Amino acid sequence: MKAVPLPESVARRLDELGEVDLLVGIPSFNNATTIGHVVRAATAGFAKYFPQRRAVIVNSDGGSTDGTPDVVSSSEFATPDTILVSHQLTPVQKIVTPYHGIPGKGSAFRTIFAIAERLGAKACAVVDSDLRSITPEWMQLLLGPVLQGFDFVSPLYLRHKYDGTITNSIVYPLTRALYGREVRQPIGGDFGFSGRLASHYLTKPVWESNVARFGIDIWMTTTAIADGFKVCQAFLGAKLHNAKDPGSDLADMLVQVASSVFDLMSSYRERWAQVGGAEPVPLFGFPHGVGLEPVNVNVERMLGIFRGGARDLHEIWEKALAPETLATVLEVASSSREPFLFPEPLWVRVVYDFAVAYHRRVMPGEQLLRSLVPLYLGRTASFVLGTAGSSSDEVEAIIQGLADEYVRQKTYLSERWA
Amino acid sequence: MKEVLDEVVRKTLSGFNERLEAFGPNLLAMLVILAVGVLAALAVRVVVRLLLPRVGFDRFAARAGLTVVLQKGGITSPPSSVMAVALAWAVLGVFVLLAVGALNLEIAMDLVSRSFSYLPQLLIGAAILVLGSLVSAFLRRSVLIAAVNAGLPSARLLAGGVHTALMILFVAMALEHLGVGRHIILASFTILFGGVVFALALAFGLAGRDLAREFLERVARRREEKPGDDLRHL
């Protein structure tokens, strides 16, 4: 295993600190306006829930030019006027360090894992630096289960029924069917994990790959489940954060997410081939429902793109899809059924066929996955039309039904993969 | 009279014998070289045909879009087979040139030397064409997918246009490299592209003035009227 390079000053600081119990890592790049709140919430969480523990906050920065590291260093939770019910016995320490390697969240996490290992941290968490909804309770929910013996805590957020459609239609049901654990939001972004798991992550030879750039979330979740670590979920409430870069469009998102999941399928082929069915994992926190305020969804545009794909992408889809799947997709596209329906079993076949095609490298991976966009929009349009009057619970039941369909058709995937 | 005739025939025959004696070994060498060339070409074909599929050449060709290019040209054999045949012919061609050279005739030697000096250009020209067809096919697919994902109604037309323009560019480059009608190709290419752009500008700016205005108004209206998606996909 190659050692993670750390600046001399940081290495000296780590030597001075010795061992810690808790560590919270915050990757950042130009987040000066929001990171202060995250640091204060973490500090308050340590004081409120873990006053006896030695804790450290690590900011792994990608070369911010807006003074992000300075904000981290200067952010304090308690002012002279603050009255605290409980006090930290030893003050929360802060380490601000640049990370090395390929620019991306994965490289930032790698530095955090290395520091966690060096400090012998028992429980660690990583949280996004642009979070606006983080509260001190998040520390308890992400770190507490680890101190009770769990190795990986996946977040469960409060979301609108139409939020996270890639997660709901691909990532969650596919991960559940492949690895047999019901982790509802595998690409949530804020996780808790044990020091043991951090060391395990560091042994993996992925730090020059896409994991270092954008695939770290699903990689952490999948590695924890597939390598047999104890996994649970924690309900964190709503996740509010800065709007994403408008330049990052749907096709880019889909390519990044799907390629990460499909790459992991190749790595863990032996593991998922042995899994049948899916089991729930323990849940910490107190889940509650969400309001159903109307959300603008342009279904007409989605269907237009899906039908355009059926008309023009035939030559590409026939490389990816099995003949009978393609025939059914074309039938669905030309159907005048009202409301439009893209059946769940067909969608599962489409995803499995694309996973196999990606694995066999029938064409350049990025082109292949970009051609999935019209199919995804067709399925999403069908989902939106079919759940227009449904409550959150009813929609959740539909998503669970889709996840079960993924499990039922897993034999098809195994046969085609071989 | 008969003696004169005998003398002429005898001289002719002895002259032929002398020339045959002088030229015979060269002819024989040419035939031997040709025979070796045929055998070498066959061997190359068999070896390449066996080896390329094993190193995944057909898969690579399919991924790179070469198979589609071949199929569009009416060639349904696997790319490894096509490559084997092409290499076999190239080997045979080299041996034919060597065989012609073995005749030791001035014109043959000249032909051989010209052919060999032209060979690198020919190979580079062929490489430009192959690379061009791969790049064009790749970009055609990228444009097609991007246009479909953007919801453009004439995605296929756009992708086809990009493909054709690129192929014209690469063919022109290959021909220019081979030195075939260098100036004519350059001039044709310039005139063709300039003409297309000029025609489009005229068509859109003058004849389609109203159409252009209507189109832009429609786009602006659609932007105002159609609500965007508030979906968060991740």
Side-chain angles (χ1 to χ4, degrees):
Chain A
M1 186 179 71
K2 209 169 130 187
V4 181
L6 294 170
E8 189 62 32
S9 58
V10 173
R12 269 201 309 275
R13 180 109 170 80
L14 295 179
D15 289 338
E16 286 163 16
L17 276 176
E19 289 207 344
V20 299
D21 299 312
L22 309 174
L23 178 147
V24 168
I26 311 171
S28 66
F29 180 65
N30 288 341
N31 301 106
T33 52
T34 53
I35 200 166
H37 171 69
V38 179
V39 172
R40 282 190 296 276
T43 313
F46 288 143
K48 185 172 179 186
Y49 297 104
F50 307 105
Q52 313 285 332
R53 304 274 188 173
R54 282 170 58 82
V56 63
I57 292 173
V58 178
N59 171 222
S60 179
D61 189 71
S64 296
T65 53
D66 66 345
T68 298
D70 300 333
V71 174
V72 174
S73 303
S74 61
S75 292
E76 294 296 339
F77 168 61
T79 64
D81 299 332
T82 314
I83 299 169
L84 295 176
V85 175
S86 59
H87 291 268
Q88 198 82 22
L89 286 183
T90 52
V92 175
Q93 302 296 319
K94 287 181 204 157
I95 296 171
V96 179
T97 176
Y99 65 77
H100 292 268
I102 299 168
K105 189 176 173 183
S107 295
F109 275 20
R110 186 190 183 201
T111 298
I112 293 167
F113 298 153
I115 292 175
E117 185 177 58
R118 186 98 174 246
L119 294 176
K122 291 182 182 65
C124 315
V126 279
V127 289
D128 288 342
S129 51
D130 63 347
L131 283 170
R132 294 183 181 278
S133 57
I134 185 170
T135 62
E137 283 68 39
W138 283 35
M139 294 301 107
Q140 186 205 17
L141 289 162
L142 292 174
L143 297 168
V146 178
L147 293 173
Q148 290 178 40
F150 285 94
D151 286 301
F152 184 75
V153 187
S154 177
L156 186 63
Y157 305 111
L158 186 67
R159 307 192 79 171
H160 189 276
K161 64 178 179 178
Y162 293 151
D163 266 358
T165 36
I166 293 179
T167 300
N168 293 344
S169 61
I170 302 176
V171 186
Y172 161 61
L174 182 56
T175 306
R176 176 181 179 270
L178 289 172
Y179 307 106
R181 309 310 298 273
E182 285 181 8
V183 175
R184 186 64 184 80
Q185 282 158 12
I187 50 176
D190 310 297
F191 302 107
F193 50 93
S194 63
R196 191 171 75 98
L197 184 53
S199 299
H200 181 71
Y201 285 146
L202 286 170
T203 62
K204 299 280 181 176
V206 296
W207 305 108
E208 305 296 325
S209 71
N210 284 340
V211 169
R213 292 184 187 90
F214 50 73
I216 187 73
D217 296 336
I218 186 64
W219 179 83
M220 283 175 72
T221 307
T222 304
T223 304
I225 301 172
D227 289 349
F229 287 87
K230 277 185 79 178
V231 175
C232 68
Q233 298 184 99
F235 183 77
L236 302 178
K239 178 173 184 172
L240 304 175
H241 56 128
N242 277 1
K244 294 280 180 204
D245 174 10
S248 61
D249 70 353
L250 168 63
D252 291 335
M253 276 191 266
L254 192 65
V255 168
Q256 291 185 2
V257 172
S259 64
S260 303
V261 178
F262 292 167
D263 282 336
L264 283 161
M265 284 175 77
S266 298
S267 306
Y268 284 110
R269 160 76 175 122
E270 301 297 321
R271 176 76 179 87
W272 62 258
Q274 296 164 3
V275 175
E279 296 168 8
V281 298
L283 173 65
F284 289 79
F286 186 70
H288 52 89
V290 59
L292 285 178
E293 71 277 14
V295 165
N296 284 332
V297 184
N298 191 339
V299 174
E300 198 186 313
R301 185 181 154 273
M302 288 181 180
L303 287 176
I305 292 175
F306 168 59
R307 291 191 171 122
R311 189 183 59 234
D312 295 328
L313 295 183
H314 192 274
E315 65 184 88
I316 294 167
W317 285 356
E318 72 182 358
K319 285 185 174 185
L321 300 173
E324 56 275 22
T325 315
L326 177 60
T328 319
V329 164
L330 297 179
E331 208 175 287
V332 166
S334 60
S335 158
S336 54
R337 184 187 188 281
E338 286 292 335
F340 170 79
L341 178 70
F342 195 119
E344 286 178 353
L346 177 63
W347 172 244
V348 175
R349 286 263 157 144
V350 166
V351 173
Y352 281 165
D353 283 350
F354 266 80
V356 172
Y358 184 85
H359 171 65
R360 289 185 186 160
R361 300 180 188 280
V362 298
M363 59 188 286
E366 185 165 338
Q367 278 191 341
L368 178 78
L369 296 178
R370 280 182 186 276
S371 77
L372 179 61
V373 171
L375 292 160
Y376 162 76
L377 289 177
R379 168 62 200 159
T380 305
S382 170
F383 172 76
V384 170
L385 290 170
T387 57
S390 307
S391 66
S392 286
D393 288 343
E394 286 165 346
V395 170
E396 192 57 31
I398 289 169
I399 293 167
Q400 289 307 323
L402 177 68
D404 288 338
E405 186 61 37
Y406 269 85
V407 174
R408 271 194 292 278
Q409 292 200 38
K410 198 172 164 187
T411 321
Y412 171 79
L413 171 69
S414 298
E415 284 168 4
R416 287 214 65 207
W417 195 278
Chain B
M1 180 63 187
K2 187 176 178 297
E3 285 170 1
V4 173
L5 196 66
D6 284 347
E7 180 63 17
V8 170
V9 170
R10 194 181 56 74
K11 275 188 177 172
T12 305
L13 286 176
S14 74
F16 179 74
N17 275 345
E18 278 169 21
R19 279 200 295 274
L20 192 65
E21 275 171 22
F23 188 65
N26 291 32
L27 191 66
L28 196 63
M30 184 193 85
L31 292 174
V32 169
I33 291 171
L34 271 183
V36 171
V38 170
L39 290 176
L42 281 173
V44 164
R45 186 179 170 178
V46 170
V47 170
V48 172
R49 182 76 188 86
L50 285 174
L51 212 62
L52 283 187
R54 290 187 182 194
V55 295
F57 180 76
D58 288 334
R59 255 196 330 272
F60 165 76
R63 273 190 68 202
L66 190 61
T67 313
V68 177
V69 173
L70 291 175
Q71 281 167 353
K72 279 189 177 163
I75 301 167
T76 51
S77 315
S80 56
S81 176
V82 176
M83 181 63 97
V85 171
L87 283 176
W89 276 106
V91 168
L92 189 63
V94 170
F95 274 90
V96 167
L97 287 174
L98 289 173
V100 172
L103 290 176
N104 213 12
L105 298 174
E106 197 178 323
I107 189 166
M109 293 304 288
D110 188 41
L111 177 71
V112 170
S113 115
R114 276 166 178 244
S115 303
F116 273 106
S117 66
Y118 196 61
L119 202 59
Q121 277 166 286
L122 202 66
L123 288 176
I124 293 172
I128 289 173
L129 271 187
V130 171
L131 186 74
S133 59
L134 291 178
V135 170
S136 310
F138 181 85
L139 288 177
R140 190 189 79 85
R141 228 161 35 197
S142 293
V143 170
L144 181 64
I145 294 169
V148 167
N149 288 348
L152 298 183
S154 44
R156 218 169 243 286
L157 188 71
L158 193 65
V162 168
H163 185 252
T164 309
L166 281 169
M167 276 314 291
I168 290 172
L169 177 72
F170 279 106
V171 168
M173 278 167 68
L175 288 176
E176 209 233 331
H177 195 81
L178 294 175
V180 180
R182 191 165 283 171
H183 299 294
I184 295 170
I185 288 165
L186 190 65
S188 313
F189 190 72
T190 313
I191 291 166
L192 184 72
F193 263 72
V196 167
V197 172
F198 187 60
L200 284 175
L202 274 182
F204 206 68
L206 296 174
R209 212 161 33 177
D210 296 334
L211 192 69
R213 194 181 58 238
E214 274 175 33
F215 173 73
L216 291 173
E217 279 172 0
R218 213 169 41 239
V219 169
R221 250 199 325 270
R222 204 183 302 160
R223 272 198 192 144
E224 281 168 16
E225 286 167 6
K226 287 207 168 179
D229 279 338
D230 286 344
L231 272 188
R232 278 187 287 180
H233 296 276
L234 287 182

